[in-house]
Amino acid sequence: MGSDAPDPASLTAEEHRLQEARAGVPWRAWGPYLSERQWGTVREDYSDNGDAWSYFSHDQARSRAYRWGEDGLAGISDDQQRLCFALALWNERDPILKERLFGLTNAEGNHGEDVKEYYFYLDNLPTHSYQRWLYKYPLAEFPYTDLVAVNGARSREEFEYELVDTGVFDDGDYVDVEVEYAKAGPEDILCRVTVHNRAAHDAGLHVLPTLWFRNTWSWRAGVPKPHLTRVESATAVVRAEHQQLGVFYLYAEAGADLLFCENETNAARVSGAESPTRFAKDGIGDHLLHGADTVNRDGEGTKVAVHVRLDVPAGGEATMRVRLTREGPEELVAPFAGADELIARRRAEADEFFDAITPAAVDDDAKAVMRQALAGMLWSKQSYYFDVDRWLRERHAHPLRAPARRGSRNDTWFHMVNHDVVSMPDKWEYPWYAAWDLAFHCIPLAMVDPDFAKRQITLMLSQEYLHPSGQIPAYEWNFGDVNPPVHAFATLFLHRLESELGEDDLPFLQECFAKLLVNFTWWVNRKDRTGRNLFEGGFLGLDNIGVFDRSAALPTGGSLEQADGTAWMALFSQNMLDLALALLEHDETYEEFVLNFVERFFWIAAAMDPIGEHPDEMWDEEDGFFYDVLRLPDGTGTRIKVRSLVGLLPVCATSVIEADVIDRYPRLASRVGAFLDRNQDLLSNIADPLVPGVQGRRLLSLVNEQKLRRILARMLDEERFLGPHGIRSISRWHLNHPYSFDVAGVEYRVQYEPAESTSGMFGGNSNWRGPVWFPINLLLIRALLQHYRYYGNDLKVECPTGSGTMMTLFEVAQELSRRLAGTFLRDSDGRRPVYGATKLFQEDPHWRDLILFYEYFHGDNGAGLGASHQTGWTGLVARLIQSLGQIDSASALEGHQWPLARPYRRVGSTPRGGVGGP
């Protein structure tokens, strides 16, 4: 296995930079912090009807200044997104300059919003000292109109019409645009753009690396305007001066032109009004494509492009370079001396870094997938700026200030001022943080940058984010939506990982526990309406999984007692218990919290399956499964018998208490024992916490061995939940046995749908009625490992059900991990299931090793679905691949920490080659 803490003498170059960053060196000051879509976001929406997609469109984005952020191709910025840099391209065919990614709005797509471009995150380091990105740009005219028209004509029962379906990549008629960034220092960044011509003919391509300031001066009087100015020099040099940021210089190679304009709205084009400047935001594009006099020939503005036309021979390549640094021309007389050597060195350091965290047992294909997954996690950072108080004022919708337009989105969240680098689910489809996604992001992020992962948790729990009531914000479309309470889980994961390294961060633990306690109280006060420890919560991140919209008023009246909501609270209680135990080692006053959360867990467990048989309880003894309970207005209840992840989540509420806890805290053990004695009758339906397991461990679980076996028999049945690439969100049994519920003659129905949703519920761009989702699969794997640490090798189950093959719970966890990882790996035929029947991705050497980490996956064949760059929580595959090469059955039983929370680092590693790409 890997060592816990590396010898300082064996640290890689990137690990040294991370140590310097911890000491205050600003290695993270610049990174991939630009969005990939700022248009169509809630932040930019000032409409009366809240239609963000229509208010600010892709068509307007090239001409209209953004209020709250910026976007671009392969974009980077400082951590406050004041000075931005990205790539623009023109193939001499397109009607517009390619400055940002194109995609369909929610209304335009037959399955909701969707980016219609192919781009790949190939490499990145935690300090962003090396970054590599690839974009496939057609040489024919980009089919904007065709993509909108064909998708608009398709129904929800049909597949989406993708860019590859248009034929623009046929015969290799495209270029690969590869962008690399290498830092010579924390604020000294070299960019190399290499264009690879895949066509059988020569091609001309206009390449325009672009530097601009985010527009901060047009919205409030008195805000100073920054400046870009041309510097007289033998080559193209730009001076960028910002009141807060100071001075930077952008250098270009000989032969480049500088095109200046302002990052300000072209009012004449957008609204028909008179523009304050003729050098507006779209001036560079209008000048290049149409010869318009829309660039400032005096060499000044707030936006500048370095323009080069590259002639790329058939099958060949061409390169250009720019450099952004604080050094002026007086000090830096040869800005590109040693440029290629710097990039080669940083790329070798990236090889060294990823080799050190990759177990030797992981094969080359899996290494490449793991590395690209982690690269995607690091590329998906974004500087997220949203001052909700100011936004509400500007919309005249602030509830405390007149005149107020009532009913505005997020009008109770005016305390929020977010301006931080945050991990995004997908910087095009979801260019805003989603709180429960973010908790899962922390697991793969912790593999490469635990400090940044911890920062994500403390942000969500900080005063600038957490509502005064204790609610964690969900996402900008509705901060008040309720997401699963998984931040204690993530906090505990990060604590246990650092404990293995001997780095207990007590202030982090104390701060998080205090804020999580407030959030726990919010849940108890707001989502347990009867006080019976049966929780609601609405959709709880599972969108359309229910027969009814779980976030809307029920057509029957009454309320829904949710098996998943209640299981989440059981898990939250266990996580808080474990955090309190960790803090108890430093402060005896936490004993009361330990006892409180022990009691809370058992009250929840008793409520889910009370003593005796009741037709309105969540556990169905006949089916051996948990269900939601519909509580009608007259007080009667009935189970909603949809066999879904809702009924599997109770298995995830599992915690193992080490034997030495009982020995170290005898008074606490006595108090817990007295509580259990008084409530002995409540233990009959759950795992008995008084019975020791392997190494004297005790088990807190909502399911006893009998229930666990019954649930796993369904979960591991390939005709039900167990798909070839993970656990399905709804049992395949519902394909031929749909669940229906009649209300006053109206049928509500759930049927197994393994691919895209045919329902418009929650926008229709995700589907929890069949596909495989990585985050819940990870929780199930953790639960299997937790139960294994208690039961050991004595408990075996049939896997798959009906196969005759008996496995320990560790072996089941490994089998599930292999199936999930196998989504992205080449199978025996050399095909990657994630790409389904898409021939180009399966066979073309320039495509087949480039991995997209989709949002969810076809329940029957593993094909990628939904957001194509949701490396966010699908990036969990990196941890699964690492753990498959790290953990064996014996090591899983040893130690005090979760097997999945054990860090891995291979000492004495030697650099290996990179991944994918040209």
Side-chain angles (χ1 to χ4, degrees):
M1 304 303 105
S3 65
D4 290 342
D7 184 329
S10 73
L11 292 177
T12 65
E14 177 65 6
E15 287 170 317
H16 279 293
R17 284 190 287 267
L18 285 169
Q19 285 196 342
E20 290 175 356
R22 182 176 281 189
V25 179
W27 280 108
R28 297 190 192 87
W30 282 79
Y33 307 145
L34 225 55
S35 178
E36 285 164 355
R37 177 177 62 81
Q38 183 68 15
W39 59 272
T41 61
V42 167
R43 279 158 288 156
E44 300 295 337
D45 178 24
Y46 287 81
S47 68
D48 291 334
N49 62 1
D51 184 358
W53 287 107
S54 299
Y55 181 77
F56 203 133
S57 67
H58 174 270
D59 182 61
Q60 291 181 339
R62 67 181 183 273
S63 305
R64 185 174 173 184
Y66 292 128
R67 172 69 175 92
W68 297 100
E70 297 289 340
D71 55 21
L73 303 176
I76 64 171
S77 74
D78 70 280
D79 56 12
Q80 295 288 289
Q81 210 180 89
R82 293 162 292 198
L83 183 58
C84 308
F85 178 91
L87 191 64
L89 302 164
W90 186 46
N91 59 7
E92 300 182 342
R93 302 285 188 278
D94 284 354
I96 60 174
L97 185 64
K98 177 70 71 173
E99 293 182 278
R100 57 188 50 79
L101 297 166
F102 172 73
L104 305 181
T105 68
N106 184 269
E108 290 172 334
N110 60 321
H111 294 289
E113 63 267 30
D114 190 44
V115 69
K116 297 300 182 185
E117 307 261 22
Y118 292 116
Y119 55 104
F120 304 89
Y121 308 128
L122 298 184
D123 226 344
N124 211 321
L125 286 170
T127 64
H128 312 299
S129 295
Y130 180 72
Q131 304 179 85
R132 185 167 166 238
W133 180 93
L134 183 73
Y135 174 64
K136 292 187 176 288
Y137 189 28
L139 290 170
E141 181 179 335
F142 195 91
Y144 293 106
T145 303
D146 184 44
L147 286 165
V148 173
V150 175
N151 276 288
R154 291 192 175 185
S155 69
R156 291 194 184 278
E157 284 70 32
E158 296 175 274
F159 288 117
E160 294 178 355
Y161 183 60
E162 303 292 0
L163 183 58
V164 70
D165 301 323
T166 68
V168 292
F169 295 109
D170 292 356
D171 303 317
D173 196 29
Y174 69 95
V175 292
D176 275 331
V177 182
E178 179 188 17
V179 180
E180 293 173 283
Y181 294 103
K183 289 183 180 179
E187 296 181 304
D188 187 350
I189 306 163
L190 178 72
C191 174
R192 181 172 71 186
V193 181
T194 306
V195 179
H196 306 264
N197 186 0
R198 304 303 183 198
H201 57 84
D202 297 348
L205 185 71
H206 296 259
V207 181
L208 299 94
T210 304
L211 184 73
W212 73 100
F213 288 107
R214 175 168 57 84
N215 188 324
T216 56
W217 58 90
S218 293
W219 323 110
R220 282 189 291 166
V223 176
K225 185 176 179 179
H227 291 93
L228 298 170
T229 53
R230 182 171 54 224
V231 177
E232 294 303 324
S233 176
T235 59
V237 182
V238 176
R239 186 178 191 270
E241 184 173 0
H242 187 281
Q243 186 182 39
Q244 296 173 336
L245 202 58
V247 176
F248 278 84
Y249 293 89
L250 179 69
Y251 294 86
E253 294 177 303
D257 295 325
L258 296 177
L259 306 176
F260 287 84
C261 68
E262 301 290 346
N263 183 21
E264 296 180 6
T265 298
N266 181 346
R269 178 175 184 271
V270 172
S271 62
E274 183 177 350
S275 293
T277 174
R278 79 170 191 267
F279 310 124
K281 179 179 177 180
D282 52 12
I284 293 169
D286 285 349
H287 173 76
L288 180 64
L289 275 68
H290 309 298
D293 184 20
T294 50
V295 294
N296 190 334
R297 299 185 187 279
D298 292 335
E300 61 182 12
T302 48
K303 177 180 177 181
V304 62
V306 176
H307 174 225
V308 174
R309 185 186 188 278
L310 296 179
D311 294 307
V312 194
E317 64 182 51
T319 299
M320 71 166 298
R321 300 165 189 82
V322 294
R323 184 172 178 179
L324 182 66
T325 178
R326 287 206 182 268
E327 289 190 73
E330 300 82 7
E331 302 90 18
L332 192 62
V333 294
F336 299 103
D340 290 340
E341 291 79 4
L342 172 65
I343 291 173
R345 183 166 67 254
R346 291 291 183 258
R347 188 165 178 170
E349 290 168 357
D351 294 341
E352 174 193 41
F353 177 77
F354 284 105
D355 190 73
I357 64 170
T358 306
V362 176
D363 67 28
D364 287 342
D365 189 35
K367 287 174 187 173
V369 171
M370 174 178 147
R371 183 165 174 173
Q372 287 186 64
L374 292 169
M377 296 298 308
L378 294 167
W379 269 102
S380 295
K381 295 180 182 181
Q382 180 180 315
S383 179
Y384 182 88
Y385 181 34
F386 196 10
D387 182 337
V388 181
D389 177 82
R390 182 161 297 281
W391 180 76
L392 288 168
R393 293 192 206 195
E394 292 170 350
R395 288 171 53 86
H396 306 292
H398 199 296
L400 303 183
R401 292 176 169 87
R405 189 173 70 241
R406 301 297 178 186
S408 173
R409 177 182 280 124
N410 297 323
D411 62 359
T412 63
W413 290 79
F414 49 82
H415 76 286
M416 288 183 67
V417 181
N418 298 171
H419 200 175
D420 301 280
V421 174
V422 186
S423 177
M424 299 290 125
D426 178 320
K427 290 206 296 186
W428 192 94
E429 188 142 348
Y430 307 119
W432 29 261
Y433 63 81
W436 86 295
D437 299 51
L438 189 60
F440 289 102
H441 296 185
C442 292
I443 293 172
L445 283 170
M447 295 168 61
V448 291
D449 194 350
D451 288 349
F452 180 76
K454 286 160 58 180
R455 173 65 176 158
Q456 300 304 286
I457 297 299
T458 56
L459 278 178
M460 290 300 110
L461 299 176
S462 69
Q463 184 175 351
E464 291 76 21
Y465 289 74
L466 190 71
H467 195 274
S469 67
Q471 185 179 9
I472 293 175
Y475 37 65
E476 66 177 36
W477 286 96
N478 184 359
F479 285 124
D481 262 353
V482 183
N483 278 184
V486 287
H487 297 82
F489 167 79
T491 302
L492 187 58
F493 176 92
L494 294 171
H495 162 69
R496 294 196 160 175
L497 182 141
E498 287 202 320
S499 292
E500 285 280 296
L501 294 170
E503 298 181 359
D504 275 350
D505 186 345
L506 187 59
F508 166 74
L509 208 57
Q510 291 170 325
E511 178 185 350
C512 288
F513 185 86
K515 295 297 183 68
L516 288 165
L517 194 61
V518 175
N519 181 237
F520 190 94
T521 304
W522 178 86
W523 272 90
V524 170
N525 290 339
R526 298 293 185 92
K527 296 303 170 183
D528 177 15
R529 73 170 67 196
T530 64
R532 296 188 298 122
N533 293 291
L534 296 171
F535 290 85
E536 302 169 47
F539 83 115
L540 282 177
L542 306 187
D543 293 13
N544 65 339
I545 202 166
V547 68
F548 307 123
D549 181 342
R550 301 195 306 169
S551 285
L554 298 173
T556 59
S559 61
L560 202 62
E561 295 167 356
Q562 297 178 215
D564 56 336
T566 307
W568 285 123
M569 285 303 290
L571 177 63
F572 197 176
S573 301
Q574 292 171 340
N575 296 152
M576 293 297 282
L577 163 61
D578 286 334
L579 288 169
L581 281 171
L583 287 163
L584 183 58
E585 296 181 17
H586 306 276
D587 185 345
E588 65 181 13
T589 63
Y590 282 90
E591 181 177 307
E592 292 301 318
F593 291 112
V594 174
L595 187 62
N596 177 278
F597 286 110
V598 166
E599 292 182 358
R600 176 65 69 174
F601 167 74
F602 283 107
W603 297 140
I604 294 172
M608 290 193 77
D609 185 12
I611 299 169
E613 283 302 306
H614 309 275
D616 60 349
E617 66 183 60
M618 293 177 178
W619 174 253
D620 188 307
E621 181 62 28
E622 181 180 353
D623 290 356
F625 208 71
F626 287 97
Y627 299 113
D628 285 347
V629 172
L630 176 62
R631 186 68 57 187
L632 296 170
D634 64 3
T636 61
T638 183
R639 298 186 186 108
I640 303 296
K641 291 195 172 185
V642 179
R643 293 172 188 168
S644 71
L645 290 177
V646 166
L648 296 181
L649 275 165
V651 175
C652 299
T654 305
S655 184
V656 171
I657 306 297
E658 298 294 332
D660 67 345
V661 171
I662 298 170
D663 298 333
R664 282 189 293 143
Y665 304 110
R667 185 180 67 180
L668 175 62
S670 174
R671 295 179 71 188
V672 171
F675 169 79
L676 295 176
D677 253 357
R678 291 195 306 274
N679 298 282
Q680 186 67 38
D681 55 332
L682 300 182
L683 305 183
S684 58
N685 292 333
I686 62 172
D688 191 336
L690 299 174
V691 176
V694 171
Q695 298 182 16
R697 296 183 177 113
R698 308 301 171 93
L699 180 66
L700 300 185
S701 175
L702 291 178
V703 296
N704 56 25
E705 182 178 340
Q706 180 188 22
K707 281 182 180 172
L708 180 63
R709 288 182 178 277
R710 295 187 70 187
I711 293 171
L712 291 183
R714 290 192 183 279
M715 189 180 94
L716 301 177
D717 188 335
E718 292 182 310
E719 294 301 313
R720 287 176 167 78
F721 283 102
L722 182 59
H725 298 286
I727 300 300
R728 302 174 174 114
S729 45
I730 279 185
S731 172
R732 199 174 188 277
W733 185 82
H734 284 305
L735 176 64
N736 298 318
H737 306 85
Y739 178 82
S740 65
F741 195 98
D742 184 88
V743 181
V746 177
E747 183 189 32
Y748 294 82
R749 179 183 172 98
V750 172
Q751 187 170 21
Y752 174 73
E753 299 179 57
E756 300 277 13
S757 172
T758 60
S759 163
M761 196 183 297
F762 283 90
N765 62 334
S766 68
N767 184 22
W768 289 83
R769 292 186 174 183
V772 172
W773 293 74
F774 268 69
I776 306 301
N777 273 262
L778 179 101
L779 290 177
L780 290 167
I781 290 169
R782 173 196 168 269
L784 289 165
L785 292 172
Q786 289 286 85
H787 281 102
Y788 175 70
R789 284 169 59 77
Y790 176 78
Y791 290 110
N793 295 314
D794 292 338
L795 194 158
K796 293 187 176 184
V797 296
E798 196 175 27
C799 181
T801 300
S803 67
T805 301
M806 303 302 292
M807 294 187 184
T808 65
L809 298 184
F810 173 81
E811 291 167 336
V812 174
Q814 294 291 87
E815 173 64 16
L816 185 51
S817 297
R818 280 190 289 270
R819 291 187 183 220
L820 289 160
T823 306
F824 304 99
L825 303 176
R826 291 184 186 171
D827 62 19
S828 57
D829 296 323
R831 301 173 68 81
R832 300 187 191 276
V834 64
Y835 289 133
T838 308
K839 185 177 179 180
L840 192 63
F841 274 101
Q842 296 290 13
E843 299 178 7
D844 191 294
H846 299 302
W847 294 71
R848 66 187 181 195
D849 292 328
L850 303 171
I851 310 300
L852 292 175
F853 297 89
Y854 286 84
E855 185 179 5
Y856 54 97
F857 302 87
H858 195 292
D860 294 338
N861 60 38
L865 301 164
S868 58
H869 289 73
Q870 184 122 348
T871 319
W873 60 22
T874 301
L876 290 165
V877 70
R879 182 61 189 119
L880 296 179
I881 290 172
Q882 188 186 52
S883 69
L884 284 168
Q886 174 189 7
I887 304 166
D888 59 24
S889 58
S891 66
L893 291 176
E894 297 303 318
H896 285 193
Q897 308 298 3
W898 301 342
L900 287 176
R902 293 177 188 169
Y904 180 88
R905 187 184 185 280
R906 186 144 52 100
V907 178
S909 57
T910 54
R912 295 196 178 134
V915 298

